[in-house]
């Protein structure tokens, strides 16, 4: 029953941040309750002689596990959130450098341990100026970077809180920072090194004592070895320095952006990260060498200790050393825990059950690091392990030759490789959609060559070169150069595939219900034979093939796109967008590709019926140009002709245009007048397309007025020509600028709710204090995408409900 307690525990932790159960439990209390539950099941196990009793106990253990997991998640999350910074401010801090930095394209990212006189140190991510990066690269010696390992510094700079675009489907930077235990960013402006005496005088004697412990000194020594190895690889006359380093330690400092993009397009990014095979390869190499030495020089040792027991301790030590060397990444930790549990089971002479081993290792990993549950690496890693486990069980059930030939062994290995690739591709497809919303179709084929080439040749040679580096640097240099040739062969193969097939990441539009159905179908497929008919998997996928199966109720979402505007509207099978947000610098961040497309994906929308660009300022229309080749749009409306060749039907947006969806939603364009369209390019804001939306039923919010960037002039026009207009929700013109939302305009229409779409820390100060004062004077509530993220109105029966995305997760809440 222990595995069911662990399954419940993992499930409870998976809801971290949602506060389903408002309980908090400490680690010691959780372990005590779990021990009592396990002992109770062991004592009463003989009484569980009927399926019904076993089912009741399984349910009870799973529920207890969920409660323990949720309570532990709440307790750990609330503690970590206490240290998160929320304000931009200048600050002086004392820091200790204990982790290796990362050389980025434009700066050095340096993890900082910020010391606190009362309490434990907290982690910030420091950013050094490009001049420091240039100095480190030009000298080809990463020891010359400004902040050195094992030293204390007094830093002055600007604290930058981590900020996410809180939109469904978009990358959650705040969740990532929380998972990495990074409480803030810090732009370093001034550096002063401190000696231990100065640190002690400042009141940080406790931290000095902690750094003298064996564990701290060992981890610092490991980081220094990683730094030396990176500096050595940087000096080598090889072409693929970044790949050599990334495949060895997971450090992507030297990796070229073009190489990263190529691996991403082929769906091979996971090969650049440290995984379980890396750890096992190193441990097996060391243990094989040890076994050879014992067999040759002292074989009698095996009479005293059987080989598997004798090698288990060195094996675990090698696993632990490599995990420390790569910074205890999730896949490495998973492998270490599986190895520990497997060896304990072997020593106790218990039967090894692979699935139970997998579940127990996941539960233990989450006990040590509960925030791993937020990482895509956790789910993908254990998902791949589950598939490989099922393949292994299938092979074990098949009859085998007593003495297979070499050809039969090679044939079996090839069959397993092909089978594992397409099964892993299918099994992880829902998870890839859930986390990344896109996939490369060529992934199974490229992995057929890349995985054995990297796993059997490049990684072992990389590890051997690294080990030799600490013994004989010249020989290590030769091995790295040989490995570089192997990498060039692999990249040449990928370039040929690139030339022939030109693979691209394909975006998929799948909402949570579609993904759930796919997971159900795949679980049926991967279940052991005889449990359920495999044909049921096809039945569960039937709704995916019928677009009309799910008719969405009315939904209007004001997306968090930073300083800009993007509004999504849907009813039934109809969907449209009003504006798409800004373009900015697509090399650093693309609103279209990284917010709009992922959002539409989780909504299950692959095509828009209409796109209305209220005007062609970049913060309203810019993102469209970056995704126009990936997103299908039936018709575009704007107040002036779009730039470039347009294959999509286009209409000018002007007052008097009307249309309806299913007699339930009515759209009316109120401005600009058709005679003013000739002035749209000159006066973009005041000629914005102003859209009024009326919904049948849905109190208290049935009438929406979307103002674009319109200001006082347009508001006066609306008062003159539409005095009887009903407005329940007003999306403020020009992001809440002081030159829009006039007092008389607000007083006349008296909306029940006002919304401002603006970016956090924007340089314009939107929404302005004057606009907020007018709204306060008229008792009109204001909510903003700055504080609430994406704001969604959804109709349920005859009621219109309002949901804010930042209220959904604890780490996104501003207060």
């Amino acid at each position: 029953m222990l595995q069911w307690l662990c399954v419940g525990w993992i499930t409870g932790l998976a809801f971290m941040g949602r506060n389903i159960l408002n309980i908090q439990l400490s680690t010691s209390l959780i372990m005590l309750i779990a021990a009592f539950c396990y002992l109770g099941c062991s004592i009463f196990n003989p009484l569980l002689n009927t399926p019904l009793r076993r089912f009741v106990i399984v349910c009870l253990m799973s529920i207890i596990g969920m409660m323990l997991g949720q309570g532990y998640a709440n307790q750990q999350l609330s503690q970590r959130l206490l240290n998160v910074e929320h304000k931009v401010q200048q600050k002086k801090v004392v820091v200790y450098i204990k982790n290796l930095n990362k050389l980025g394209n434009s700066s050095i990212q340096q993890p900082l341990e910020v010391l606190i006189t009362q309490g434990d140190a907290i982690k910030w991510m420091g950013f050094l100026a490009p001049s420091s990066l240039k100095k480190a690269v030009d000298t080809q010696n990463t020891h010359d970077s400004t902040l050195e390992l094992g030293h204390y510094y007094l830093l002055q700079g600007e604290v930058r809180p981590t900020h996410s675009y809180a939109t469904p489907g978009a990358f959650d930077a705040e969740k990532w920072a929380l998972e990495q235990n990074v409480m803030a960013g810090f732009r370093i402006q001034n550096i002063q090194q401190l000696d231990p005496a100065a640190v002690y005088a400042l009141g940080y004697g406790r931290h000095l004592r902690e750094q003298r412990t064996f564990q701290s000194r060992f981890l610092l020594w490991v980081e220094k070895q990683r730094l030396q190895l990176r500096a050595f690889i940087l000096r080598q006359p090889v072409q693929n320095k970044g790949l050599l380093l990334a495949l060895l330690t997971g450090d992507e400092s030297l990796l070229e952006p073009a190489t990263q993009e190529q691996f991403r397009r082929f769906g091979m990014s996971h090969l650049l990260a440290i995984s379980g095979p890396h750890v096992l390869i190193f441990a097996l190499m060391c243990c094989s060498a040890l076994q050879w030495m014992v067999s040759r020089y002292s074989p009698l040792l095996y009479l005293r200790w059987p080989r598997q027991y004798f090698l288990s301790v060195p094996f675990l030590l090698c696993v632990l050393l490599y995990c420390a060397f790569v910074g205890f990444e999730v896949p490495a930790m998973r492998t270490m825990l599986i190895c520990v549990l497997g060896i304990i089971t072997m020593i106790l002479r218990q039967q090894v059950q692979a699935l139970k081993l997998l579940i127990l290792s996941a539960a233990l990993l989450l006990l040590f690091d509960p925030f791993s549950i937020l990482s895509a690496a956790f789910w993908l890693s254990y998902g791949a392990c589950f598939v490989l486990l099922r393949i292994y069980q299938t092979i074990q059930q098949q009859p085998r030759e007593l003495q297979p030939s070499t050809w039969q062994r090679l044939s079996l290995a090839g069959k397993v490789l092909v089978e594992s690739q397409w099964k892993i591709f299918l099994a992880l497809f829902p998870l890839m959609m859930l986390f990344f919303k896109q996939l490369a179709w060529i992934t199974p084929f490229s992995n057929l060559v890349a995985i054995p080439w990297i796993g059997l040749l490049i990684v072992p040679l990389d590890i051997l070169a690294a080990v030799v580096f600490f013994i004989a640097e010249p020989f290590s240099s030769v091995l790295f150069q040989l490995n570089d040739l192997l990498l060039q062969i692999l990249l040449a193969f990928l370039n040929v595939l690139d030339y022939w097939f030109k693979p691209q990441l394909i975006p998929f539009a799948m909402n949570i219900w579609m993904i759930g159905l796919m997971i159900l179908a795949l679980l049926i497929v991967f279940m052991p034979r005889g449990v359920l008919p495999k044909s049921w998997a096809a039945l569960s996928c039937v709704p995916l093939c019928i677009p009309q199966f799910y008719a969405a109720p009315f939904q209007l979402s004001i997306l968090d796109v930073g300083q800009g505007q993007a509004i999504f509207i849907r009813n039934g099978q109809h969907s449209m967008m009003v504006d798409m947000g800004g373009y900015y610098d697509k090399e650093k961040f693309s609103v279209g590709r990284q917010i709009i497309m992922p959002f539409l994906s989780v909504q299950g929308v692959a095509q828009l019926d209409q796109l209305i660009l209220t005007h062609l300022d970049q913060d309203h229309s810019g993102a469209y140009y970056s995704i126009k080749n990936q997103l299908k749009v039936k018709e575009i409306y704007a107040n002036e002709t779009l730039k470039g060749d347009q294959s999509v039907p286009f209409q000018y947006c002007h007052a008097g245009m009307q249309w309806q969806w299913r007699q339930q939603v009515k759209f009316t364009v109120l401005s600009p007048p058709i005679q003013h369209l000739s002035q749209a390019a000159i006066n973009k804001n005041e000629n914005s397309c102003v859209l009024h939306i009326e919904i049948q039923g849905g109190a208290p919010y049935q009438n929406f007025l979307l103002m674009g960037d319109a200001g006082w002039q347009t508001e006066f026009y609306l008062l003159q020509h539409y005095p009887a207009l009903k407005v329940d929700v007003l999306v403020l013109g020009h992001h809440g600028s002081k030159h829009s939302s006039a007092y008389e305009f607000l007083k006349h229409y008296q909306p029940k709710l006002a919304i401002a779409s603006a970016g956090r820390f924007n340089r314009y100060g939107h929404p302005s204090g004057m606009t907020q004062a007018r709204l306060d004077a008229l008792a009109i509530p204001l909510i903003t995408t700055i504080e609430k993220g994406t704001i969604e109105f959804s109709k349920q029966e005859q009621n219109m409900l309002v949901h804010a995305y930042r209220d959904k997760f604890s780490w996104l809440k501003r207060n």
Side-chain angles (χ1 to χ4, degrees):
M1 293 300 168
L2 179 61
Q3 66 267 33
W4 292 108
L5 184 70
C6 292
V7 168
W9 162 264
I10 296 168
T11 305
L13 278 162
F15 290 97
M16 177 180 282
R18 293 178 181 265
N19 293 329
I20 295 175
L21 301 172
N22 192 20
I23 54 176
Q24 295 191 7
L25 299 173
S26 65
T27 308
S28 56
L29 183 58
I30 285 171
M31 296 182 70
L32 184 63
I33 295 173
F36 274 116
C37 290
Y38 182 65
L39 287 174
C41 286
S42 301
I43 293 170
F44 294 104
N45 190 54
L47 301 178
L48 306 178
N49 53 4
T50 65
L52 180 60
R53 289 179 183 175
R54 285 190 172 275
F55 176 75
V56 170
I57 293 298
V58 164
C59 293
L60 181 62
M61 294 296 286
S62 300
I63 291 171
I64 292 173
M66 284 185 64
M67 295 176 66
L68 293 176
Q70 180 65 193
Y72 187 57
N74 291 342
Q75 190 259 351
Q76 293 290 310
L77 183 60
S78 61
Q79 283 188 355
R80 187 163 287 190
L81 288 175
L82 291 175
N83 296 318
V84 174
E85 296 287 337
H86 296 284
K87 296 179 180 179
V88 176
Q89 54 184 318
Q90 289 288 324
K91 221 170 189 181
K92 283 186 177 181
V93 290
V94 176
V95 304
Y96 177 69
I97 308 301
K98 74 172 186 179
N99 295 113
L100 186 64
N101 58 27
K102 179 181 177 183
L103 307 180
N105 294 327
S106 57
S107 66
I108 294 177
Q109 298 180 26
Q110 175 64 68
L112 306 171
E113 191 169 75
V114 181
L115 308 190
I116 302 174
T117 50
Q118 301 295 329
D120 297 329
I122 59 176
K123 183 179 176 182
W124 288 1
M125 184 61 71
F127 296 91
L128 286 161
S131 58
S132 300
L133 175 64
K134 187 175 186 302
K135 179 182 178 183
V137 175
D138 288 350
T139 59
Q140 293 197 348
N141 188 345
T142 48
H143 284 288
D144 289 338
S145 55
T146 309
L147 301 176
E148 294 184 19
L149 288 167
H151 289 266
Y152 291 88
Y153 295 91
L154 177 63
L155 302 182
Q156 182 177 358
E158 183 182 57
V159 179
R160 300 289 299 183
T162 306
H163 173 66
S164 293
Y165 294 91
T167 296
F171 174 68
D172 191 341
E174 292 176 51
K175 181 176 78 171
W176 177 87
L178 194 71
E179 187 253 322
Q180 297 291 321
N181 199 19
V182 176
M183 300 294 99
F186 190 66
R187 293 180 180 174
I188 302 171
Q189 297 167 349
N190 189 35
I191 301 172
Q192 178 185 345
Q193 187 171 344
L194 300 175
D195 56 33
V199 175
Y200 186 84
L202 289 170
Y204 302 111
R206 174 187 170 189
H207 190 273
L208 284 167
R209 289 189 294 272
E210 288 176 354
Q211 297 311 311
R212 295 192 186 106
T213 62
F214 172 78
Q215 178 184 355
S216 298
R217 294 171 68 180
F218 171 73
L219 293 176
L220 180 63
W221 175 83
V222 168
E223 289 295 300
K224 289 182 177 180
Q225 305 315 304
R226 293 180 67 195
L227 181 61
Q228 287 184 11
L229 191 57
R230 185 170 77 183
F232 179 72
I233 292 176
L234 189 60
R235 295 193 301 268
Q236 298 308 301
V238 295
Q239 296 183 22
N240 302 291
K241 299 174 184 178
L243 274 175
L244 288 171
L245 183 63
L247 292 171
L248 180 62
T249 68
D251 184 357
E252 299 183 3
S253 292
L254 309 180
L255 205 56
E256 294 291 334
T259 304
Q260 287 180 303
E261 177 60 26
Q262 186 177 45
F263 271 67
R264 197 161 29 240
R265 283 188 290 105
F266 278 94
M268 294 164 44
S269 296
H270 63 284
L271 298 179
L272 297 176
I274 293 300
S275 61
H278 288 69
V279 182
L280 293 178
I281 288 169
F282 173 71
L284 289 173
M285 288 172 64
C286 294
C287 289
S288 297
L290 179 60
Q291 181 184 350
W292 178 83
M293 292 176 62
V294 172
S295 300
R296 185 174 179 85
Y297 298 108
S298 185
L300 296 179
L301 277 176
Y302 290 148
L303 295 177
R304 184 176 300 177
W305 298 291
R307 184 174 59 181
Q308 62 270 29
Y309 295 108
F310 176 77
L311 294 176
S312 61
V313 174
F315 184 85
L316 279 181
L317 289 175
C318 291
V319 169
L320 178 62
L321 179 62
Y322 201 88
C323 286
F325 190 69
V326 298
F328 293 102
E329 295 285 345
V330 170
M333 284 287 292
R334 178 207 70 209
T335 304
M336 185 181 73
L337 289 171
I338 289 176
C339 292
V340 170
L341 291 172
I343 289 174
I344 290 174
T345 304
M346 180 190 68
I347 292 173
L348 296 177
R349 299 184 180 182
Q350 299 293 315
Q351 183 180 2
V352 177
Q353 298 180 8
L355 182 58
K356 183 184 291 187
L357 207 61
L358 204 63
I359 294 172
L360 289 177
S361 70
L364 279 176
L365 174 60
L366 294 175
L367 180 65
F368 297 135
D369 182 12
F371 295 94
S372 297
I373 200 77
L374 302 177
S375 168
F378 173 86
W379 296 101
L380 294 173
S381 177
Y382 275 95
C385 280
F386 172 74
V387 177
L388 293 174
L389 169 64
R390 289 291 301 122
I391 293 172
Y392 171 76
Q393 290 174 337
T394 303
I395 293 173
Q396 290 295 103
Q397 293 169 0
Q398 295 177 353
R400 292 180 290 178
E401 297 288 338
L402 294 177
Q403 292 183 338
S405 64
T406 303
W407 171 252
Q408 287 174 328
R409 291 177 180 174
L410 290 174
S411 177
L412 178 62
K415 179 183 176 183
V416 170
L417 178 63
V418 173
E419 183 181 356
S420 63
Q421 286 311 303
W422 74 260
K423 282 188 175 180
I424 287 175
F425 180 80
L426 285 178
L428 298 187
F429 182 82
L431 290 177
M432 295 295 288
M433 293 302 98
L434 196 62
F435 291 115
F436 306 115
K437 322 296 182 300
Q438 56 187 3
L439 202 65
W441 64 269
I442 203 171
T443 297
F445 306 102
S446 58
N447 281 343
L448 278 176
V449 175
I451 287 180
W453 191 263
I454 290 176
L456 299 179
L457 293 177
I458 294 175
V459 170
L461 192 56
D462 223 9
I463 292 173
L464 180 61
V467 172
V468 173
F469 161 73
F470 297 105
I471 304 171
E473 288 191 11
F475 186 43
S476 175
S477 178
V478 173
L479 291 176
F480 276 125
Q481 291 177 53
L482 176 60
N483 216 2
D484 186 55
L485 291 176
L486 296 177
L487 282 173
Q488 289 183 41
I489 294 172
L490 174 64
L491 293 177
F493 168 74
L494 295 181
N495 290 334
V496 170
L497 292 183
D498 237 341
Y499 179 78
W500 283 349
F501 301 107
K502 296 179 172 56
Q504 296 292 334
L505 289 171
I506 304 170
F508 285 83
M510 299 186 70
N511 59 31
I512 192 65
W513 302 109
M514 295 177 180
I515 294 175
L517 287 172
M518 283 204 65
I519 292 174
L520 176 61
L522 290 171
L523 284 175
I524 295 173
V525 169
F526 284 101
M527 279 183 178
R529 294 184 182 277
V531 177
L532 286 175
K534 302 297 181 182
S535 58
W536 286 18
L539 290 176
S540 65
C541 291
V542 169
L544 299 176
C545 307
I546 306 175
Q548 289 77 23
F549 180 78
Y550 174 70
F554 177 82
Q555 172 189 349
L556 186 148
S557 298
I558 297 97
L559 308 187
D560 179 9
V561 291
Q563 186 59 24
Q565 177 176 285
I567 300 172
F568 173 75
I569 306 166
R570 173 167 62 178
N571 189 59
Q573 297 301 317
H574 298 283
S575 59
M576 66 178 289
M577 285 198 71
V578 178
D579 291 333
M580 276 200 172
Y583 186 79
Y584 308 116
D585 183 353
K586 77 170 185 177
E587 297 301 325
K588 295 181 179 178
F589 188 85
S590 170
V591 171
R593 292 199 302 267
Q594 293 170 265
I595 297 181
I596 303 298
M597 291 300 291
F599 172 80
L600 293 177
S601 174
V602 299
Q603 302 300 321
V605 174
Q607 177 177 271
L608 295 174
D609 294 312
Q610 295 151 307
L611 169 62
I612 297 178
L613 299 176
T614 58
H615 61 300
L616 299 189
D617 277 356
Q618 72 88 19
D619 60 330
H620 289 250
S621 65
Y624 168 69
Y625 295 101
S626 64
I627 59 174
K628 64 180 182 180
N629 295 326
Q630 288 79 44
L631 178 64
K632 296 179 181 178
V633 181
K634 290 184 179 179
E635 199 166 19
I636 295 179
Y637 297 81
N639 61 355
E640 56 178 312
T641 307
L642 272 66
K643 301 174 184 177
D645 182 29
Q646 293 294 325
S647 57
V648 181
F650 172 83
Q651 287 193 44
Y652 284 103
C653 180
H654 58 82
M657 300 179 72
Q658 288 188 346
W659 64 93
Q660 287 189 337
W661 285 350
R662 300 171 57 192
Q663 304 298 315
Q664 295 178 357
V665 184
K666 180 181 178 181
F667 298 89
T668 306
V669 178
L670 306 181
S671 181
I674 193 169
Q675 60 270 24
H676 289 183
L677 289 176
S678 59
Q679 303 295 316
I682 301 172
N683 191 357
K684 294 179 184 290
N685 289 354
E686 294 303 337
N687 286 288
S688 294
C689 296
V690 176
L691 185 67
H692 183 264
I693 306 170
E694 182 181 351
I695 297 97
Q696 296 297 321
Y701 307 114
Q702 296 178 260
N703 300 279
F704 295 78
L705 183 60
L706 317 181
M707 294 293 294
D709 267 359
W712 294 339
Q713 179 181 330
T714 305
E715 291 170 0
F716 182 70
Y717 170 84
L718 295 179
L719 288 172
Q720 285 185 311
H721 291 81
Y722 306 99
L725 190 70
K726 293 181 179 179
V727 179
D728 297 317
V729 177
L730 172 66
V731 179
L732 298 177
H734 206 182
H735 320 286
S737 163
K738 65 181 179 181
H739 299 297
S740 64
S741 308
Y743 183 86
E744 291 300 324
F745 175 78
L746 296 172
K747 182 180 179 181
H748 179 84
Y749 289 118
Q750 198 66 37
K752 298 174 183 175
L753 184 64
I755 298 174
S757 178
R760 193 182 187 193
F761 311 128
N762 71 83
R763 58 178 176 168
Y764 308 103
H766 294 159
S768 82
M770 294 179 65
T771 300
Q772 294 183 56
R774 296 173 200 145
L775 292 167
D776 288 342
L778 294 167
I780 300 173
L782 170 67
I783 56 178
T784 70
T785 55
I786 298 172
E787 296 297 326
K788 295 295 184 180
T790 291
I791 301 159
E792 179 183 302
F793 294 84
S794 59
K795 185 180 177 184
Q796 294 186 8
E797 296 180 352
Q798 296 302 309
N799 298 318
M800 189 71 72
L801 306 180
V802 187
H803 304 279
Y805 191 71
R806 284 196 176 274
D807 291 340
K808 193 174 180 179
F809 300 100
S810 298
W811 59 79
L812 290 177
K813 293 180 179 178
R814 288 295 187 209
N815 54 351

